[in-house]
């Protein structure tokens, strides 16, 4: 108790310096947390994927479609419970800046597969009845202030023209990690328009989505599917939904690695600032430490003093930084809107933030503490700060 | 008004070496991040801008933002080939190339994960339209065969594309017969083969884009007006340079915004570090400050001296950070450009402008961090200082 009091008094002897150090710490710990959250958000698609869904795509690349006829043949594959399909639409809502994913889906089979999209029965029926209808996630609807019944015009990039959909429903995610930033509309509507315009490109789907009975059979079913279509016009590549989403993450890996490197650099910078503070503190109190030693306190006590002070400052800064991260993350989520479908500070991130703060505190005190423990008493007493 | 000598200022930093090193180190890291981010975004821009030729005209379907979204039917491509003002080569052939562009996924060399590579069907005229492209190993593909040549960055970044190997896509085996380089432009990240073969293999009835060279860049407006006035065509014409500059926009902007936001957050930490250092310097030298003032140095001189010290500290950090950043120029980086959905390799490019911006950024940190302590030093009472010492 006495020691803690002494530490507090010591830490705030130089009020301005300690406050500045803490500000630096708060900013760094906060930035560290936000960066980790951004990296997590990148993997959100993987987190939100289900182990009972497989994605079948053209083996050449995702940009090649598959024939619609594959769906019927896939239903006969053992282990497959349900078959649905979707097409990436890639339309633009007003400007390119309002990016959000849009999929043309076979609604009757797609919605049961994605049970985590909670839609009221009335809205689901209204959507299924309206060929030009669309449903969106809650977050997306909030961003643009859409209400059920609104008209949503999208300018096609892959499928030319302006497409207008009527909003028939807004889904809520069953969990926090569920994607609520997509727009889904009827694949049949897209297909009919294509058939009327270009005969050749109709009856094509982007990916086929399979619901399987047992997650353990994923590899087996994938193999069956790929063998079924080997040497055909469009060979397939089947993988679990998580692997499919990871493929997207891997594409921007270079950026992710940079972001992760940067969050480490932050910690190093704040270490330098903190170490600087502790070095100064130690230098100024040379005479005091020498006095303590002359009074018979052990070198270990002096070391404890320095470490305690450093860890105390680090802990206060770390906790404050942590407390600030949550509102900042909320503000960031509001600012970027639909860019990251899920943006949440995980418990692991919080733990790492505290660990980083305390680590910085410990490292910063190491060198001054070592120097002080070895200080010659006579030299110390002579020293004038 | 007498000024304090620079040697005095510099020596003060030297006396407290460890503190100077730590503070300058923190600043150096901030400047390093700041500079590398700008270099990255500049590198993406430079790569894609170098890809286009000023007198080339790119024709895509209206509303298609990228080559893979575009489609130009055979009949339309034939109409476009008859535009007036198209340049001809030595044999008198019009310099027009209708090209299918598709993506295939190949495993990356670094981690084996698949990433998308642009495959372009072209011809010897297509190669003429892009003078930067040179075969550096092996030979060019023969027209009408299933031979392909790969770009430098693709050869370096992906597995299974060495000369003599076969790539399997679109239900056929394609022989890799050559490696080309395109002077650090976007073509380095592509694979080229014969246009007609590709159309057949991918079962496409339409080309993706048409590229042509105008006899003179000034003919562009006339050509554009003609294309837009033709009711048979739903095509938009862009100078090739502009098209590729637009392709780089989203990624470059994203990296710049992310990076600058980071650099600004970091700089708070570095400024705090500088402030702590300068406050300590002032506190330790109260006696000196009093003596200087008693000797007749004005408040302004003391303020300038301390501010100069902080600026010197920042300049040291800035130079160190910039030196580290300039070492990044040797690094190649490759990521997916989300506008084209395919892999793009680029380098970190350091321009004098970026160097200047980084140094100014460092000095700004020095001013912000140093001004309050310097102000405090200048405001002290002479008597109080001498007494405290």
């Amino acid at each position: 108790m006495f020691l803690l009091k002494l530490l507090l008094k010591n830490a705030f002897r130089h009020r301005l310096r300690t406050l500045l150090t803490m500000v630096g710490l708060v900013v760094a710990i906060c930035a560290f947390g936000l960066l980790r959250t951004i990296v997590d958000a990148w993997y959100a698609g993987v987190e939100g994927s289900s182990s009972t869904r497989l994605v079948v795509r053209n083996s050449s690349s995702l940009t090649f479609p598959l024939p619609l006829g594959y769906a019927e043949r896939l239903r006969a594959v053992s282990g497959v419970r349900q078959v649905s399909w979707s097409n990436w639409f890639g339309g633009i809502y007003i400007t390119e800046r309002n990016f959000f994913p849009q999929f043309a889906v076979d609604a009757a089979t797609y919605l049961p597969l994605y049970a985590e999209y909670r839609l009221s029965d009335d809205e689901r029926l209204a959507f299924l009845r309206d060929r030009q209808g669309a449903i969106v996630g809650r977050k997306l609807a909030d961003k643009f202030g859409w209400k059920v019944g609104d008209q949503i015009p999208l300018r096609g990039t892959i499928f030319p023209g302006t497409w207008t959909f009527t909003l028939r429903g807004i889904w809520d995610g069953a969990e926090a990690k569920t994607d609520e930033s997509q727009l889904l509309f009827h694949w049949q509507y897209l297909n009919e328009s294509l058939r009327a315009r270009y005969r050749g490109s109709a009856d094509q789907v982007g990916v086929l989505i399979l619901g399987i009975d047992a997650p353990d059979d994923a590899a087996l079913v994938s193999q069956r599917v790929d063998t079924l279509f080997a040497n055909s016009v469009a060979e397939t590549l089947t993988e679990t939904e998580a692997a499919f989403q990871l493929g997207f993450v891997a594409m921007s890996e270079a950026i992710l690695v940079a972001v992760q490197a940067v969050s480490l650099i932050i910690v190093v910078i704040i270490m330098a600032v903190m170490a600087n503070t502790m070095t100064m503190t130690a230098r100024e109190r040379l005479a005091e430490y020498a006095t303590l030693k002359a009074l018979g306190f052990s070198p270990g006590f002096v070391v404890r003093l320095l470490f305690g002070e450093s860890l105390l400052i680090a802990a206060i800064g770390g906790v404050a930084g942590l407390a600030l991260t949550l509102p900042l993350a909320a503000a960031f989520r509001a600012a970027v809107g639909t860019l990251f479908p899920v943006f949440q500070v995980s418990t692991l991130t919080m733990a790492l933030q505290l660990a980083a703060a305390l680590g910085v505190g410990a490292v910063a005190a190491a060198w001054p503490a070592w120097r002080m423990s070895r200080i010659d008493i006579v030299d110390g007493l002579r020293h004038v700060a | 008004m007498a000024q304090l000598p620079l040697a005095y200022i510099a020596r003060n930093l030297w006396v407290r070496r460890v503190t100077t090193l730590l503070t300058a180190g923190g600043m150096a890291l901030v400047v390093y991040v700041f500079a590398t981010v700008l270099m990255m975004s500049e590198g993406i821009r430079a790569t894609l801008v170098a890809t286009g030729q000023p007198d080339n005209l790119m024709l895509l379907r209206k509303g298609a933002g990228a080559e893979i979204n575009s489609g130009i039917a055979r009949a339309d491509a034939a109409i476009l080939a008859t535009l007036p003002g198209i340049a001809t080569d030595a044999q008198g052939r019009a310099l027009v190339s209708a090209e299918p562009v598709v993506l295939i996924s190949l495993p990356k060399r670094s981690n084996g994960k698949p990433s998308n590579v642009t495959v372009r069907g072209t011809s010897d005229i297509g190669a003429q339209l892009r003078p930067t492209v040179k075969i550096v190993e092996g030979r060019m593909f023969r027209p009408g065969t299933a031979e392909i040549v790969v770009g430098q960055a693709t050869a370096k970044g992906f597995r299974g594309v060495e000369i003599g190997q076969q790539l399997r896509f679109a239900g056929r085996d394609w022989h890799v017969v050559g490696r080309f380089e395109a002077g650090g432009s976007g073509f380095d990240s592509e694979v080229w083969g014969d246009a007609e073969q590709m159309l057949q293999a991918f079962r496409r009835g339409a080309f993706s884009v048409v590229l042509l060279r105008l006899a003179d860049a000034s003919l562009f407006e006339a050509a554009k007006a003609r294309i837009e006035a033709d009711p048979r065509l739903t095509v938009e014409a862009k100078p090739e340079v502009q098209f590729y500059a637009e392709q780089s926009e989203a990624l470059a902007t994203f990296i710049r915004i992310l990076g600058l936001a980071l650099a600004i957050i970091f700089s708070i930490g570095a400024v705090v570090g500088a402030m702590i250092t300068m406050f300590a310097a002032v506190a330790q030298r109260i006696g000196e400050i009093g003596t200087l003032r008693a000797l007749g140095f004005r408040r302004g001189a003391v303020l300038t001296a301390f501010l100069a010290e902080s600026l010197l500290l920042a300049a040291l950090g800035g130079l160190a950070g910039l030196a580290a950043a300039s070492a990044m120029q040797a690094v190649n980086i490759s990521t997916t450009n989300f506008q084209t959905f395919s892999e793009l390799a680029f380098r970190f490019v350091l321009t004098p402008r970026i160097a200047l911006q980084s140094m100014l950024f460092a000095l700004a940190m020095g001013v912000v961090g140093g001004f309050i302590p310097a102000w405090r030093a200048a405001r002290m009472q002479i008597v109080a200082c001498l007494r405290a010492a």
Side-chain angles (χ1 to χ4, degrees):
Chain A
M1 193 59 235
F2 158 76
L3 192 63
L4 189 70
K5 216 167 178 171
L6 184 62
L7 287 181
L8 266 172
K9 282 234 184 299
N10 260 345
F12 285 94
R13 198 188 306 186
H14 243 290
R15 212 165 317 137
L16 180 71
R17 182 196 299 165
T18 306
L19 280 177
L20 281 174
T21 311
M22 280 183 185
V23 166
L25 253 173
V26 167
V27 168
I29 294 299
C30 218
F32 176 73
L34 282 176
L35 283 176
R36 270 200 54 90
T37 310
I38 288 177
V39 173
D40 284 348
W42 225 292
Y43 284 93
V46 183
E47 290 293 316
S49 57
S50 153
S51 55
T52 58
R53 288 195 292 256
L54 299 180
V55 177
V56 186
R57 62 181 174 92
N58 191 308
S59 68
S60 286
S61 102
L62 195 57
T63 50
F64 288 95
L66 291 167
L68 177 63
Y70 280 18
E72 282 310 318
R73 294 176 62 186
L74 283 169
R75 284 201 179 94
V77 173
S78 72
V80 174
R81 190 168 39 84
Q82 178 126 40
V83 179
S84 186
W85 58 87
S86 77
N87 250 5
W88 173 261
F89 183 70
I92 296 168
Y93 178 65
I94 306 175
T95 70
E96 275 94 344
R97 293 184 55 93
N98 299 334
F99 171 84
F100 58 90
Q102 307 117 23
F103 293 98
V105 300
D106 180 54
T109 52
Y110 193 88
L111 291 178
L113 262 181
Y114 285 80
E116 65 264 37
Y117 296 176
R118 298 273 168 80
L119 201 61
S120 74
D121 288 345
D122 300 349
E123 289 182 344
R124 178 178 306 120
L125 282 173
F127 171 55
L128 290 175
R129 280 198 204 104
D130 182 2
R131 260 203 172 336
Q132 286 199 34
I135 51 172
V136 299
R138 173 75 52 197
K139 197 183 280 183
L140 189 63
D142 290 347
K143 185 187 174 187
F144 296 115
W146 290 333
K147 291 178 296 298
V148 172
D150 284 359
Q151 297 283 309
I152 302 171
L154 296 177
R155 196 169 76 244
T157 56
I158 304 171
F159 308 101
T162 299
W163 305 67
T164 305
F165 304 102
T166 312
L167 187 58
R168 291 292 172 204
I170 297 172
W171 78 75
D172 291 294
E175 290 172 56
K177 63 181 187 189
T178 308
D179 193 345
E180 294 182 354
S181 61
Q182 302 181 354
L183 178 142
L184 305 177
F185 64 94
H186 291 283
W187 178 86
Q188 282 81 355
Y189 173 52
L190 180 75
N191 199 40
E192 280 161 17
S193 315
L194 288 179
R195 189 174 294 155
R197 263 189 280 181
Y198 328 86
R199 295 266 317 289
S201 58
D203 294 338
Q204 304 274 7
V205 300
V207 293
L208 286 143
I209 300 146
L210 311 180
I212 52 173
D213 297 321
D216 300 344
D217 296 345
L220 206 62
V221 176
S222 303
Q223 212 176 354
R224 280 185 202 138
V225 172
D226 290 343
T227 334
L228 181 64
F229 299 113
N231 295 322
S232 70
V233 173
E235 294 187 325
T236 60
L237 192 151
T238 310
E239 50 196 357
T240 60
E241 198 183 16
F244 177 74
Q245 297 282 6
L246 264 177
F248 286 104
V249 177
M251 285 180 189
S252 35
E253 201 149 40
I255 295 176
L256 277 184
V257 168
V259 169
Q260 275 160 326
V262 159
S263 49
L264 280 181
I265 290 179
I266 292 189
V267 176
V268 174
I269 290 181
I270 202 64
M271 229 174 235
V273 171
M274 192 76 190
N276 196 358
T277 307
M278 290 322 292
T279 315
M280 282 181 201
T281 304
R283 197 188 302 120
E284 281 170 13
R285 303 194 194 146
L286 250 172
E288 282 173 40
Y289 295 137
T291 312
L292 282 173
K293 279 172 118 174
L295 289 173
F297 282 99
S298 67
F301 182 76
V302 174
V303 169
R304 271 203 298 277
L305 268 187
L306 261 168
F307 263 100
E309 188 176 333
S310 179
L311 286 175
L312 191 71
I313 295 176
I316 296 175
V319 170
L322 195 60
L324 196 65
T325 306
L326 298 171
L328 269 181
F332 186 83
R333 188 171 38 223
V336 296
T338 50
L339 185 63
F340 295 117
V342 179
F343 195 79
Q344 268 207 308
V345 186
S346 66
T347 35
L348 176 67
T349 299
M350 293 186 202
L352 279 174
Q353 279 179 292
L354 280 181
L358 294 177
V360 165
V363 171
W367 187 70
W370 181 76
R371 284 252 333 247
M372 289 306 116
S373 66
R374 302 197 27 197
I375 188 86
D376 191 54
I377 295 179
V378 180
D379 277 352
L381 289 173
R382 253 196 222 127
H383 178 88
V384 181
Chain B
M1 189 169 105
Q3 288 296 342
L4 284 160
L6 193 66
Y8 167 81
I9 294 163
R11 214 170 291 144
N12 278 321
L13 288 177
W14 182 245
V15 169
R16 277 178 301 279
R17 283 186 286 278
V18 177
T19 297
T20 301
L21 197 69
L22 286 172
T23 315
M27 286 189 161
L29 276 173
V30 175
V31 172
Y32 167 78
V33 170
F34 182 83
T36 31
V37 163
L38 289 178
M39 282 161 71
M40 222 167 145
S41 125
E42 179 60 32
I44 295 168
R45 236 184 38 77
T47 300
L48 282 167
V49 168
T51 309
Q53 293 286 322
D55 46 3
N56 280 2
L57 192 59
M58 187 86 167
L59 303 155
L60 300 103
R61 194 193 60 217
K62 254 201 182 67
E67 288 178 299
I68 50 162
N69 293 345
S70 169
I72 293 180
R74 235 172 234 283
D76 295 351
I79 296 169
L80 290 168
T82 62
L83 278 174
I86 297 180
T88 52
D89 68 353
Q91 290 135 39
R93 294 178 301 171
L95 286 172
V96 180
S97 175
E99 306 180 334
V101 178
V102 293
L103 299 181
I104 58 165
S105 53
L106 292 176
K108 284 183 96 155
R109 209 181 274 276
S110 55
N111 53 15
K113 288 177 182 154
S115 194
N116 285 324
V117 179
T118 304
V119 177
R120 182 182 301 278
T122 180
S123 59
D124 62 326
I125 291 187
Q128 280 189 54
L129 283 166
R130 302 173 176 100
T132 51
V133 174
K134 305 258 185 307
I135 295 284
V136 286
E137 196 187 338
R139 57 179 174 81
M140 194 65 180
F141 62 87
R142 283 193 307 254
T145 59
E147 291 177 350
I148 50 175
V149 289
V150 295
Q152 190 85 303
T154 309
K156 216 180 288 177
F158 290 90
R159 287 183 199 167
V161 287
E162 281 86 27
I163 291 179
Q165 286 189 304
Q166 298 197 349
L167 269 187
R168 187 169 175 84
F169 57 86
R172 283 173 71 170
D173 289 313
W174 304 77
H175 300 264
V176 181
V177 295
R179 188 160 56 86
F180 65 86
E181 70 157 18
S185 69
F187 297 128
D188 273 334
S189 309
E190 294 185 355
V191 172
W192 286 12
D194 181 80
E196 289 298 333
Q197 291 293 319
M198 296 253 169
L199 276 184
Q200 282 301 320
F202 288 114
R203 294 177 175 73
R204 295 214 162 182
F207 297 103
S208 302
V209 294
V210 172
L211 183 72
L212 53 86
R213 174 158 317 155
L214 293 165
D216 189 331
S218 64
L219 296 167
F220 166 69
E221 288 304 328
K224 189 176 163 151
R226 206 184 167 92
I227 290 167
E228 280 171 2
D230 195 325
R232 294 167 299 179
L233 301 173
T234 49
V235 171
E236 103 189 272
K238 277 181 190 161
E240 199 188 13
V241 179
Q242 184 197 333
F243 170 78
Y244 281 109
E246 283 171 8
Q247 297 279 295
S248 71
E249 240 163 66
L251 188 61
T253 311
F254 170 76
I255 289 180
R256 204 169 41 235
I257 289 175
L258 181 74
L260 290 185
L262 287 178
I264 285 165
I265 292 173
F266 284 9
S267 65
I268 297 177
V271 164
V272 164
M275 225 183 246
I276 292 172
T277 308
M278 291 312 296
F279 266 125
V282 173
Q284 279 187 326
R285 284 156 38 198
I286 285 185
E288 267 176 56
I289 295 169
T291 314
L292 288 172
R293 296 286 318 282
L295 286 173
F297 283 104
R298 291 287 177 85
R299 285 201 163 142
V302 173
L303 180 81
T304 322
F306 276 92
L307 205 52
E309 195 174 316
S310 167
L311 281 174
L312 197 59
L313 189 67
L316 278 177
L319 284 173
L322 207 54
S326 74
M328 294 295 287
Q329 287 183 103
V331 178
N332 265 316
I333 184 168
S334 156
T335 184
T336 294
N337 181 355
F338 28 74
Q339 240 164 321
T340 57
F341 197 51
S342 62
E343 199 72 17
L344 175 73
F346 56 92
R347 289 185 316 117
F348 290 90
V349 178
L350 183 61
T351 61
R353 191 170 156 205
I354 292 175
L356 183 71
Q357 280 173 325
S358 308
M359 281 316 283
L360 286 177
F361 184 66
L363 292 178
M365 285 195 293
V367 171
V368 174
F371 188 77
I372 301 174
W375 180 253
R376 182 181 274 197
R379 298 290 306 162
M380 284 181 181
Q381 298 291 337
I382 300 180
V383 183
C385 284
L386 290 171
R387 229 184 247 138

